[in-house]
Amino acid sequence: MKQATERANRTHPVRLVAVSKTKPVEALQEAYDAGQRVFGENYVQEMLDKAPALPGDVQWHFIGHLQSNKVKAVIEGVPSLAMVETVDSAKLADKLNKVLEGVSGRTGPLAVMVQVNTSGEESKYGVEPADCVALAKHIAQNCPKLRLAGLMTIGMPDYSSRPENFTCLAACRDAVAAELGLAPDSLELSMGMSGDFEQAIEMGSTNVRVGSTIFGAREYKPKSPPASPKK
């Protein structure tokens, strides 16, 4: 990350989000002990299980698809939730804002990113690039408990990204900044994962989400075989 930042002649450090889905708390604690403070989870239940087991100064980023019916659980259950990177509808933004209005103890608005589907894949969540300005404007104007931090993309079907995915997100960021009267650099770009984070940094990413390069390949529990029919 440092080398990629230097190659791009950038001065501001890039945030590393350690993506820890399916990994045990012990692995996260090891990363914490090495100095990592920002962790990303894709599933609400995993974040709810892990957050209480780690030190309170961990900053949690939610980076998976967030269903409206899970918003209350993650807001109330993870006081150190620092960012939701995957806001892809006005409905979700409104739900987050409404739940936050009823929560005490949080200081300041919750940072959120607009997730943009830069690959055009129907299987990917996120707004179409043409719709990102409208959603960003809705958050900025109608959701006082949220702070628009930037934009996020996943990329291609295999979770890799191509240069056009990165340039598309940067163009969306510029369009949002122009509409809201902001400096483009005031909005973050969350793009780049284990296979392409260096290229993403060179193309302007401020937030990379790296899992397997840190923790190793993910270990998914095998599905139970179907029960034998009764004789």
Side-chain angles (χ1 to χ4, degrees):
M1 288 176 62
K2 184 173 182 292
Q3 291 170 351
T5 304
E6 291 171 350
R7 285 196 297 269
N9 293 317
R10 294 173 57 183
T11 55
H12 294 293
V14 176
R15 182 189 301 109
L16 172 62
V17 180
V19 180
S20 45
K21 69 176 181 180
T22 79
K23 294 300 178 181
V25 169
E26 291 78 12
L28 279 70
Q29 184 66 52
E30 187 176 357
Y32 178 92
D33 292 341
Q36 180 63 23
R37 291 296 180 269
V38 186
F39 292 87
E41 287 291 342
N42 292 66
Y43 304 111
V44 169
Q45 192 56 53
E46 275 202 73
M47 185 178 278
L48 291 174
D49 291 342
K50 293 174 182 176
L54 287 169
D57 62 338
V58 166
Q59 298 173 42
W60 292 97
H61 284 213
F62 190 80
I63 59 172
H65 178 62
L66 182 57
Q67 296 172 302
S68 293
N69 63 354
K70 299 287 183 68
V71 166
K72 193 172 191 293
V74 74
I75 293 294
E76 294 183 349
V78 187
S80 52
L81 179 67
M83 186 181 292
V84 175
E85 295 195 22
T86 48
V87 175
D88 59 0
S89 69
K91 176 185 175 183
L92 178 57
D94 290 342
K95 181 70 173 183
L96 283 162
N97 189 73
K98 183 177 180 180
V99 171
L100 286 163
E101 286 178 341
V103 172
S104 59
R106 288 192 66 95
T107 57
L110 174 67
V112 298
M113 290 189 179
V114 170
Q115 182 178 1
V116 182
N117 183 343
T118 59
S119 65
E121 292 292 325
E122 291 184 6
S123 61
K124 287 284 185 292
Y125 293 105
V127 297
E128 295 298 317
D131 298 326
C132 68
V133 170
L135 179 54
K137 192 173 181 180
H138 177 83
I139 293 169
Q141 295 183 347
N142 300 300
C143 301
K145 291 295 184 179
L146 305 181
R147 177 179 68 82
L148 180 65
L151 294 88
M152 174 266 210
T153 190
I154 290 177
M156 302 307 291
D158 61 356
Y159 293 92
S160 66
S161 293
R162 297 175 183 168
E164 54 262 38
N165 299 134
F166 298 148
T167 54
C168 177
L169 195 69
C172 288
R173 187 265 313 270
D174 292 346
V176 168
E179 178 67 25
L180 298 180
L182 302 171
D185 287 348
S186 69
L187 294 173
E188 293 196 48
L189 293 175
S190 177
M191 56 190 195
M193 293 185 276
S194 285
D196 52 28
F197 67 88
E198 290 184 70
Q199 183 184 32
I201 291 171
E202 291 175 16
M203 296 186 71
S205 178
T206 63
N207 186 88
V208 294
R209 310 179 305 273
V210 179
S212 57
T213 298
I214 297 173
F215 296 109
R218 295 191 181 96
E219 299 168 7
Y220 293 98
K221 294 179 180 179
K223 294 182 179 179
S224 301
S228 301
K230 294 181 179 179
K231 295 182 180 179

